[in-house]
Amino acid sequence: MTDIKPLNDDGIALAADILRRGELVAFPTETVYGLGANAMDDMAVARIFEAKGRPRFNPLIVHLPSVQAVRQYAVMNGAAYTLAEKFWPGALTMVMPRAKDCQLSELVSAGLDTVAIRIPAHPGARRLLEAVNLPIAAPSANTSGKLSPTEAAHVASSLGDAVSLILDGGACGVGVESTIVDVSGKKPTLLRPGGIAAEEIEEVLNQPLIRAASDDTAPKSPGMLSSHYAPHCPVRLNVETPETGEAYLGFGPTEKATANLSVKGDLREAAANLFRLLHELDGGQYHAIAVAPIPETGLGLAINDRLRRAAAPRG
Ligand code: AMP
Ligand code: MG
């Protein structure tokens, strides 16, 4: 059974150790329980998608304790500072450009050049973030498609052994997710309504928010994001033998690979490497990227979903 510990000093110290080892810890925030991993560790972030059984890689929210920490990973513009001043810590997530030397996993951003960040207000979450001193990626701690957990017991029954430790901080404020505002473009855009009213944000910004054309009740997918990562060069899938001039992205033992998602054929490792290797091979050196077959099981579903989008004809 998964370990459940009270959210006190001992629990927090243990959680910080586990997070540093690259494993998952569920913890309460003021919105719902989050499934946390070290956001700088590709393998740890891949475990989040594996544990949730998400059929696709949507970008994750990174949790940090202070604006000073945020500036290490993201570029804050005037609107970001204005909103941070008024609403952080709290139920506001901002999408910002990744900083130049950003050390966050590319999987956290699902390959995009932006990152979603929140400074939570929950005292227990804040103590954990300060103790671990790492950026923590954390979507809701439930299997994909199930209700967001507001109690430790919900997490245990939903995720079981996939999570190494659950910090029990009692019940969260009922299932209100954070409001997501994209401040990376010229005009701030509301990506998801949530705990902080759009009108309040508009009042502070002194301008209307652009409303993203998406349904606030449906789970967000990369297709609904304002932009999503697609390589510049053509991508071919299920390739056993690459053609001359193509980069070959391998999976499993092969001598033909220009780069390999996982020599061992491990899907978690492949997920961890996916966006970084696509970016590497997409630098203009090759006229196409040919990708080896990836099994349609476990994380292979999300990997193949991503690859199919990358390979789809573009307008
Ligand atoms: P959650 O499941 O609560 O962690 O919410 C994550 C959601 O935040 C994603 O499904 C996206 O809708 C949104 N999001 C996160 N990062 C980005 C980003 N870089 N660009 C646009 N939307 C993002
Ligand atoms: Mg969720």
Side-chain angles (χ1 to χ4, degrees):
M1 255 326 274
T2 311
D3 211 5
I4 304 184
K5 289 262 188 303
L7 203 169
N8 54 24
D9 287 348
D10 288 350
I12 285 175
L14 180 62
D17 280 347
I18 291 172
L19 288 166
R20 287 192 198 102
R21 287 209 298 269
E23 293 174 21
L24 306 182
V25 172
F27 62 97
T29 77
E30 70 271 35
T31 59
V32 298
Y33 271 76
L35 180 61
N38 176 359
M40 297 201 291
D41 179 339
D42 292 312
M43 286 291 268
V45 175
R47 280 179 197 261
I48 289 181
F49 290 98
E50 191 175 41
K52 286 185 66 84
R54 276 189 176 174
R56 50 178 56 125
F57 294 123
N58 42 347
L60 304 175
I61 298 172
V62 175
H63 295 70
L64 289 166
S66 67
V67 168
Q68 196 193 339
V70 174
R71 292 178 50 206
Q72 282 179 256
Y73 305 106
V75 181
M76 292 182 69
N77 61 11
Y81 278 109
T82 304
L83 295 180
E85 175 79 18
K86 177 77 185 173
F87 299 110
W88 276 350
L92 174 71
T93 296
M94 284 196 268
V95 172
M96 295 168 281
R98 288 169 66 106
K100 244 207 183 75
D101 50 357
C102 181
Q103 300 292 306
L104 298 174
S105 160
E106 292 195 41
L107 188 54
V108 149
S109 294
L112 298 170
D113 54 11
T114 52
V115 59
I117 297 184
R118 180 162 96 86
I119 299 182
H122 189 283
R126 297 185 59 74
R127 276 164 68 200
L128 174 64
L129 291 173
E130 275 158 20
V132 71
N133 195 25
L134 287 171
I136 300 297
S140 54
N142 52 283
T143 32
S144 186
K146 295 284 156 42
L147 279 181
S148 291
T150 53
E151 287 176 27
H154 300 164
V155 181
S157 65
S158 185
L159 293 175
D161 288 345
V163 51
S164 300
L165 172 68
I166 302 169
L167 284 180
D168 188 350
C172 319
V174 194
V176 195
E177 304 202 279
S178 62
T179 303
I180 305 180
V181 176
D182 183 347
V183 291
S184 69
K186 286 215 172 66
K187 296 189 171 160
T189 302
L190 181 70
L191 296 184
R192 177 177 81 188
I196 293 169
E199 291 74 16
E200 249 189 286
I201 294 170
E202 292 176 323
E203 200 178 305
V204 169
L205 286 177
N206 204 13
Q207 66 172 307
L209 289 169
I210 308 289
R211 312 290 166 123
S214 66
D215 177 345
D216 61 329
T217 57
K220 302 293 180 289
S221 70
M224 293 156 82
L225 302 176
S226 49
S227 63
H228 55 99
Y229 171 68
H232 298 288
C233 74
V235 174
R236 292 202 304 132
L237 304 183
N238 297 312
V239 176
E240 303 279 4
T241 308
E243 289 165 12
T244 318
E246 280 185 336
Y248 189 48
L249 185 56
F251 178 78
T254 163
E255 267 158 30
K256 296 174 234 159
T258 318
N260 205 317
L261 288 166
S262 170
V263 176
K264 288 183 290 192
D266 175 58
L267 287 166
R268 185 190 295 161
E269 185 177 32
N273 287 332
L274 179 66
F275 291 106
R276 187 171 39 79
L277 294 182
L278 282 175
H279 277 133
E280 261 171 45
L281 299 179
D282 194 30
Q285 332 76 304
Y286 304 100
H287 67 69
I289 302 173
V291 188
I294 314 286
E296 279 281 350
T297 56
L299 275 172
L301 297 179
I303 296 171
N304 281 319
D305 170 77
R306 197 4 113 218
L307 288 170
R308 272 193 296 273
R309 287 163 194 267
R314 293 166 219 162

